[in-house]
Each structure stands twice: as structure tokens, then as C-alpha cells.
Amino acid sequence: MQRSGSPPGDGPPPGVTVRPATLADVDALVAMLVEVAGEGRWIGTEAPVDVDRRRRRMEAEVEGEDAIVLVAEAGGEPVGQLGLHLARYGVADLGMAVAAGWRGRGVGTALLREAISQARKAGAHKLALQVWPHNAAAVALYERFGFRREGYLHRHYRRRSGELWDAIVMGLPLD
Ligand SMILES: CC(C)(COP(=O)(O)OP(=O)(O)OC[C@H]1O[C@@H](n2cnc3c(N)ncnc32)[C@H](O)[C@@H]1OP(=O)(O)O)[C@@H](O)C(=O)NCCC(=O)NCCS
């Protein structure tokens, strides 16, 4: 067990590998996003997800130059995913999700470690993200990697319920 606040160590948990996604992964990754969106609490995407649109968008990300999509897999099945959008001005915007049954086992850590390495290789000087304030697991994971809270968006995102949710803006300089 690592001490809270210590930098994350070693490689992925046993049996888990992290690699760039291919077009063959897209259906499974979109299905995972649909599941996580269905939980209703963690990610910006809300149910019902427009699956065709999502699939087209992810295919473009997997094939294009402006994004990096990573997949964590175990036993040949995807158990986590992470997307980086590479802005021309050098910031890589991050989104990620781990399948519910795989959380708390180091998959997110393994994905984030690889994402930081890939973002550096792509020439980004900074990672950026937004997270719901109630998402304690995600905030703790990001802070463990050295992300700092850079801002707070009050009543910023309108949810389909009509609620207005706050968001924390976080950043990790890479230079
Ligand atoms: C946030 C998320 C990606 C973390 O992935 P994960 O595989 O569960 O994370 P890890 O097992 O690698 O945990 C890494 C660290 O995160 C923190 N963490 C993980 N789960 C936690 C929890 N339930 N409560 C508090 N901290 C937690 C801890 O600091 C942990 O380190 P430790 O185990 O050494 O204490 C995952 O919970 C998830 O997919 N949630 C739903 C989607 C989501 O929230 N995406 C991010 C949107 S901004």
C-alpha cells in the first residue's frame, strides 16, 4: 500500500496491460462509456448516449493525429480507457474511465502513468482536465500524480435533470 501523497510506483496490476487503442477496440470502449454514463455520477457524458455518434468520434480519435486513446485490458477484455486531446497550443485534455468491477485495483494509475508518458512524447507541456467535486476517487488519483486545482466552475454544467453542476479544473505541468 502506498502512502497517501506519494508518487505512484511500478507497472500495471498483474494481468493488466495498457496499450494504444485500435479500431477493433472502439465498440467495446463505447459500450464501457455507455455503462459509466449510466451510473450518472462520474463523467460528463450522460445517458442515453448516441452510440453511433460516439463510435464515429472515437474512430476519428483512434485514427487521427490530434488524440491519443489508451486501453487497459485484462484477459483480452478492455477494463479501462483514457483519451487525450492534443490542442495545438500544447495542452493535452484528459478523460478516463475504468469499468465498475475493476476500480480500486490500480488500472486508473496504470492508464494515467502511460498517458503522461505519451503526452510528453507528443510534445505537450501540460495535462488538463475537469472533474466533478463529488468524484473523490478521481480527484485523489489526479492529486496523487501531482495535478493541482487551478480553478472552480460554479453551476457551470447543465445536466439533463436540469441541475447545474460545479466542476474542478485541474492541471499537471509536464515541462
Ligand atoms: C476515477 C477512476 C478512473 C480511478 O481509477 P481506478 O482504477 O479505480 O484507480 P486506482 O485503483 O488506480 O486508484 C488510484 C488512486 O486513486 C484514489 N482512489 C481510487 N479509488 C478511490 C476511492 N473509491 N476513494 C478515494 N480514493 C480513491 C486513491 O488515491 C488510489 O490510490 P491508492 O489505492 O494507493 O490509495 C475510476 O474510479 C473510474 O473510472 N470512475 C468512474 C469514471 C470517472 O470518474 N472518470 C473520471 C472522470 S474525471
Side-chain angles (χ1 to χ4, degrees):
M1 190 69 143
Q2 289 169 333
R3 262 184 331 110
S4 181
S6 62
D10 311 334
V16 175
T17 54
V18 174
R19 59 170 176 77
T22 70
L23 288 179
D25 296 312
V26 168
D27 281 350
L29 296 185
V30 171
M32 192 194 303
L33 276 183
V34 168
E35 289 284 318
V36 179
E39 294 178 65
R41 287 181 54 74
W42 309 127
I43 59 175
T45 304
E46 290 191 89
V49 177
D50 183 336
V51 170
D52 286 337
R53 191 158 160 265
R54 261 298 165 152
R55 192 184 293 127
R56 284 195 300 275
R57 204 210 290 180
M58 197 177 286
E59 283 171 352
E61 289 167 355
V62 166
E63 290 201 298
E65 302 282 300
D66 299 335
I68 294 168
V69 183
L70 299 175
V71 53
E73 72 178 359
E77 298 295 325
V79 297
Q81 60 187 290
L82 185 151
L84 288 176
H85 291 99
L86 306 166
R88 300 256 150 80
Y89 47 84
V91 174
D93 275 300
L94 184 151
M96 67 187 295
V98 172
W102 280 86
R103 291 176 198 155
R105 300 202 225 169
V107 174
T109 299
L111 280 164
L112 196 44
R113 187 186 299 112
E114 181 62 17
I116 290 169
S117 162
Q118 296 273 341
R120 278 212 174 89
K121 278 188 203 150
H125 68 269
K126 182 175 179 182
L127 283 180
L129 59 84
Q130 294 183 20
V131 56
W132 306 127
H134 60 255
N135 196 345
V139 171
L141 172 64
Y142 301 140
E143 287 184 333
R144 174 64 70 82
F145 274 86
F147 280 81
R148 293 278 171 81
R149 296 170 192 233
E150 296 191 341
Y152 196 90
L153 304 173
H154 294 268
R155 291 168 52 79
H156 194 82
Y157 289 100
R158 184 161 58 220
R159 304 292 282 175
R160 285 187 177 152
S161 65
E163 289 175 352
L164 297 176
W165 284 14
D166 301 349
I168 303 171
V169 180
M170 301 187 82
L172 176 69
L174 302 176
D175 57 353

